[in-house]
Amino acid sequence: MTVVTGGAAANAVMAVVRVEAPAGVEADVVEAELTRALYTHRKRPMTVELSLADGTGPWPRRGPARYAFVAVLTMSGCSEPERLAARIEKTARKAIRRRFGRPATAEVRTGISGAEAGAYWFSVRGTPHRQF
């Protein structure tokens, strides 16, 4: 998938963003913080589309809240998925730690299988309309 951002073509990459935050932090707050941090990055324009993965939530009741987001990521001038993931992970980790404190962390994984990507796609786009 190729996206045009500001006149330059960029490749869109599907990834899984795992976030560990302090107990009691809601998924909406984490998603908003990640989106704000990635869209307002000073050095390179990035776009991110996040959706909470099905079956993830603030479990267990004690300890850190763990969330998994399905993301469609783009960054102009960066065509390698591993390099894109590393840059976005660094930015996301800094933003999460700045907002929620030191034990909070974020991890970005782009190496997902075709079946996993297909299942995650439904989290982002929903079930396609099927004609019978």
Side-chain angles (χ1 to χ4, degrees):
M1 174 187 322
T2 302
V3 179
V4 178
T5 56
N11 291 329
V13 175
M14 182 175 273
V16 177
V17 180
R18 296 179 190 269
V19 176
E20 191 171 289
V25 175
E26 296 294 325
D28 297 338
V29 176
V30 173
E31 183 178 355
E33 186 63 28
L34 286 173
T35 303
R36 185 204 57 76
L38 295 172
Y39 270 104
T40 60
H41 192 262
R42 293 183 309 259
K43 292 183 181 179
R44 290 187 180 238
M46 292 183 239
T47 60
V48 61
E49 184 178 339
L50 293 170
S51 179
L52 187 64
D54 293 336
T56 63
W59 301 286
R61 294 282 180 216
R62 295 182 193 162
R66 293 181 179 98
Y67 297 104
F69 295 95
V70 179
V72 178
L73 310 168
T74 59
M75 178 188 293
S76 62
C78 189
S79 59
E80 300 171 20
E82 295 82 20
R83 193 168 177 202
L84 172 66
R87 287 185 179 177
I88 288 181
E89 182 174 313
K90 182 178 178 182
T91 303
R93 185 176 293 140
K94 281 183 177 181
I96 292 295
R97 285 185 177 163
R98 190 177 313 123
R99 175 73 162 87
F100 302 115
R102 190 70 177 151
T105 189
E107 174 188 309
V108 178
R109 184 171 59 97
T110 57
I112 55 180
S113 68
E116 191 177 17
Y120 285 147
W121 181 256
F122 295 128
S123 294
V124 177
R125 298 290 184 219
T127 305
H129 177 70
R130 294 184 183 149
Q131 295 181 1
F132 295 97

